[in-house]
Amino acid sequence: MRQGERRDLRRLQRGAGVSGAGAWIKERLPIEAESLRELTNEPVPNHLKRWWFALGGTPAYLFAVQVATGILLAVYYQPAPTTAYESVRYITEQAAYGWLLRGLHRWGATLMIAAVILHQIRVFFTGAYRKPRELNWMVGMCLLIATLMLGFTGYCLVYEQLSYWGAVVGANIAGSVPFLGGFVKQMLLGGDGYNEHTLPRFFILHAAVLPVALTLLIVVHIGIIRLLGVTELRFADEPKDKPKHFNFFPDHLLSELIIGLVLTIVLTTLACIVPATLGAKADPLTTPEVIKPEWFFYVAFRWLKLFSGTVAVLSTGLIVFVMFAWPFIDAWLRRRTRFAEASVWIGIFGALLIIGLTIWEAAVAH
Ligand code: HEM
């Protein structure tokens, strides 16, 4: 390009509002604003203006909080039985804002699990898992399991009495699964019982394997939503002549940012008012009188206590299988039987059972 032409091009770019830096970037990343707008501007059905129906964004935001606070906690955390407890004590009592980071991470976990469960309940009761969204329901089930596993492994890292005995009980439950159980238990503990390899394994699962798995699953989940769109729902109070959709960008993104802001305030308040505590240090020689998992495992724990070993584990496996296959079971019920709306009653029964077993486990010592 001759000097005169180069000057003309610069004048043209200036006329079009493209600065020197902008032109430099544009030459290297030739992305048109129009195509970017088209890519992000998916029309979103009006019902997603209500938070209950757009709950999926909440665990996604909380997951980002968990990654950020988790990386900062990992700066001081030392995953070995001899050092873990002291390093958590150091974070809580001495590291700058360590107590706040721990509080945010703890409450972030609780709220994330609650949000995933509420989102699943919303998807279930609106029948949003039905054809053609069956696969995304199953991806969602993997998200649920990965989120619960993150909660469990995180709890074990503190090396309190309940972290230690929770890990032992969890590994024993895994060990009682027919065929694969022994292998899974060995892999989890790095031996037949809890030993010096166990805590590093839990840490790798908690800080690397599960977050990467969750990230990939969220990408697939959102990718499928982008391909199929969300289920169209219309409320009785919506005027018929109103447009049925609004723009993802900037409208929906702005609502998500506001929800994120509110969640940040809620999280910080909770972390300050009810900070993360530290119980007694793990003592492998003294079994505590009462062993309790975190609240989100109360239901499974109570179930396992109600039945004997193998029956309990097999029935839990069957329930998880039914949950995975639910879109197909529901389709069969709707096609082949008179119970087209059975899912609502089964859902209500399931929810009451979960709430009942959780309260039961919370209320009694054993
Ligand atoms: C980390 C966990 C999860 C994240 C970040 C997430 C994210 C999202 C988002 C952003 C949406 C769009 C609509 C909305 O906000 O409700 C959505 C929809 C959906 N999710 Fe999730 N989700 C998660 C877990 C789950 C679980 C546990 C299930 C069920 C087992 C599930 C099943 C679905 C289905 C079927 C849809 C489509 C809903 C429709 O068409 O209206 N998701 N998810």
Side-chain angles (χ1 to χ4, degrees):
M1 193 187 290
R2 276 183 288 129
Q3 207 179 357
E5 285 173 337
R6 217 174 288 141
R7 209 180 306 117
D8 287 347
L9 180 67
R10 248 182 265 133
R11 207 174 296 136
L12 252 170
Q13 285 174 336
R14 237 176 280 131
V18 183
S19 65
W24 190 93
I25 293 173
K26 208 156 186 202
E27 213 174 329
R28 278 143 194 95
L29 291 173
I31 302 168
E32 291 302 323
E34 191 47 44
S35 52
L36 203 61
R37 206 166 299 132
E38 217 164 275
L39 197 73
T40 53
N41 214 1
E42 184 191 4
V44 182
N46 280 341
H47 71 271
L48 260 79
K49 280 185 183 160
R50 305 183 192 197
W51 181 61
W52 174 244
F53 291 92
L55 254 174
T58 300
Y61 169 78
L62 290 169
F63 179 53
V65 172
Q66 292 307 87
V67 171
T69 50
I71 289 173
L72 291 173
L73 287 172
V75 171
Y76 285 117
Y77 179 72
Q78 294 174 16
T82 45
T83 52
Y85 185 80
E86 293 310 327
S87 68
V88 177
R89 190 204 289 278
Y90 179 84
I91 293 169
T92 318
E93 293 173 5
Q94 295 187 41
Y97 296 106
W99 63 273
L100 180 62
L101 282 174
R102 259 196 88 205
L104 290 173
H105 202 68
R106 274 239 151 171
W107 279 108
T110 295
L111 294 190
M112 180 173 168
I113 291 168
V116 171
I117 296 171
L118 289 177
H119 168 61
Q120 181 167 10
I121 291 175
R122 163 339 247 174
V123 168
F124 184 89
F125 281 106
T126 51
Y129 54 79
R130 287 183 183 138
K131 192 182 166 192
R133 294 182 179 81
E134 300 96 326
L135 278 183
N136 221 9
W137 169 268
M138 296 207 271
V139 175
M141 278 299 298
C142 296
L143 277 166
L144 174 73
I145 291 170
T147 310
L148 292 176
M149 286 300 113
L150 263 173
F152 170 67
T153 49
Y155 185 55
C156 296
L157 294 183
V158 187
Y159 208 64
E160 295 171 342
Q161 266 293 63
L162 288 186
S163 318
Y164 178 89
W165 290 99
V168 170
V169 172
N172 285 342
I173 293 171
S176 57
V177 174
F179 307 116
L180 272 180
F183 173 73
V184 174
K185 185 177 168 186
Q186 277 272 339
M187 290 301 285
L188 207 58
L189 297 179
D192 289 331
Y194 201 108
N195 61 72
E196 74 275 17
H197 302 298
T198 308
L199 206 51
R201 291 203 176 195
F202 275 99
F203 184 57
I204 290 168
L205 277 176
H206 184 75
V209 178
L210 289 166
V212 169
L214 206 75
T215 308
L216 295 176
L217 286 166
I218 291 177
V219 169
V220 174
H221 197 56
I222 307 274
I224 298 180
I225 292 163
R226 189 75 178 82
L227 282 173
L228 298 174
V230 293
T231 308
E232 303 270 341
L233 303 170
R234 203 174 177 114
F235 298 106
D237 60 354
E238 261 182 72
K240 291 268 181 297
D241 49 352
K242 220 176 102 188
K244 280 193 197 151
H245 298 90
F246 64 102
N247 289 339
F248 179 87
F249 183 83
D251 304 346
H252 189 61
L253 203 64
L254 271 177
S255 329
E256 289 287 357
L257 286 177
I258 293 169
I259 293 172
L261 196 67
V262 173
L263 283 169
T264 308
I265 295 169
V266 172
L267 259 184
T268 318
T269 312
L270 285 170
C272 291
I273 295 177
V274 193
T277 51
L278 196 56
K281 187 177 172 176
D283 176 1
L285 300 177
T286 316
T287 317
E289 279 223 345
V290 180
I291 300 181
K292 289 256 179 192
E294 287 273 56
W295 63 270
F296 44 87
F297 279 122
Y298 277 8
V299 53
F301 209 51
R302 179 47 50 187
W303 185 265
L304 293 172
K305 281 183 194 166
L306 280 177
F307 301 98
S308 68
T310 313
V311 175
V313 172
L314 284 181
S315 57
T316 308
L318 182 68
I319 292 171
V320 174
F321 173 77
V322 168
M323 285 170 77
F324 260 98
W326 182 252
F328 304 103
I329 298 173
D330 174 59
W332 182 84
L333 283 174
R334 287 162 69 82
R335 225 182 15 246
R336 295 288 166 88
T337 70
R338 287 184 294 120
F339 309 111
E341 295 310 319
S343 68
V344 177
W345 297 108
I346 292 171
I348 291 173
F349 173 74
L352 290 178
L353 189 66
I354 290 170
I355 294 169
L357 291 175
T358 302
I359 294 175
W360 184 357
E361 181 59 33
V364 296
H366 295 284

